[in-house]
């Protein structure tokens, strides 16, 4: 892969820092109201949801625990998920009897989250719900019930605010559309 041009490889800005901040604040307020008085664990799915998790948890005004999982899909390509998921890092504490909320960056085919929610359900939380910043419904293969949603986006490959292409671009503070020439290049 050629060296990325962090800003030059962005075809257009889809969501600005301000738009993201405002929506994350709204989601945090809703989650705070819904889980009032409950034992909530936010389960972030590394690495893509790292900035979203960091902002969302600070927009939540009730006591919460956090935990981190890391998964990688394999057998696909840099822009296509395969649905084969490997757990690289598991939860550090049991969630049995607690209310668990998965914090995800983006749902595309839904295969990753379908696997992950089945896996976490097996750990017997009291409830298990899903919060995703982005939803790309055009390519969905399995139905995923989304409880908290930031934005629905069109079928374009996006980068920034944690989202990567080939592990780069995660540090862009906004969400942009990657120039198709970048992933078409050999
Ligand atoms: P799914 O299994 O197809 O739903 O894919 C989910 C994962 O694919 C996400 O957690 C991302 O890591 C990755 N992904 C899907 N679409 C995009 C995108 O547009 N940009 C960056 N990563 C993406």
């Amino acid at each position: 892969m050629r060296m990325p041009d962090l800003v030059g490889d962005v075809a257009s800005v889809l969501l600005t820092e301000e738009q993201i901040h405002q929506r994350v604040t709204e989601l945090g307020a809703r989650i705070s109201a819904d889980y009032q008085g409950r034992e909530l664990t936010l389960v972030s799915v590394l690495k893509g949801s790292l900035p979203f998790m960091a902002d969302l948890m600070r927009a939540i005004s009730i006591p919460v625990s956090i935990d981190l999982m890391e998964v990688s899909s394999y057998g696909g390509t840099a822009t296509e998920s395969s649905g084969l998921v490997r757990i690289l890092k598991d939860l550090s504490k049991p969630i049995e009897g607690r209310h668990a909320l998965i914090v995800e960056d983006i749902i595309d085919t839904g295969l990753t989250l379908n696997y992950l929610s089945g896996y976490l359900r097996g750990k017997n939380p009291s409830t298990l719900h899903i919060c995703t910043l982005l939803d790309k419904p055009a390519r969905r293969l399995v139905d995923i019930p989304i409880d908290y949603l930031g934005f629905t986006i069109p079928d374009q490959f996006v980068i920034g605010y944690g989202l990567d292409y080939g592990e780069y671009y995660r540090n862009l503070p906004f969400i942009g559309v990657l120039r198709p020439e970048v992933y078409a290049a050999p």
Side-chain angles (χ1 to χ4, degrees), residues 109-111 114 139-144:
T109 62
L111 292 170
N114 188 46
R139 298 172 6 112
R140 190 75 90 255
L141 294 178
V142 284
D143 190 34
I144 301 283

Side-chain angles (χ1 to χ4, degrees), residues 2 4-15 157-160 169 172-182:
R2 78 191 226 299
D5 175 351
L6 206 57
V7 173
D9 291 345
V10 176
S12 59
V13 175
L14 192 64
L15 297 164
F157 194 81
V158 291
I159 48 169
Y169 309 100
L172 286 170
F174 56 84
I175 293 173
V177 177
L178 184 64
R179 285 191 188 285
E181 308 92 87
V182 177

Side-chain angles (χ1 to χ4, degrees), residues 18 61 98 120 138 168-169:
E18 291 71 25
S61 57
R98 295 186 61 91
L120 290 176
Y168 287 107
Y169 309 100

Side-chain angles (χ1 to χ4, degrees), residues 81 104-113 136 139 156-159 163-164:
S81 166
E104 181 58 299
D105 51 358
I106 185 168
I107 304 179
D108 185 15
T109 62
L111 292 170
T112 305
L113 217 50
K136 217 196 273 185
R139 298 172 6 112
Q156 289 172 310
F157 194 81
V158 291
I159 48 169
L163 292 153
D164 77 305

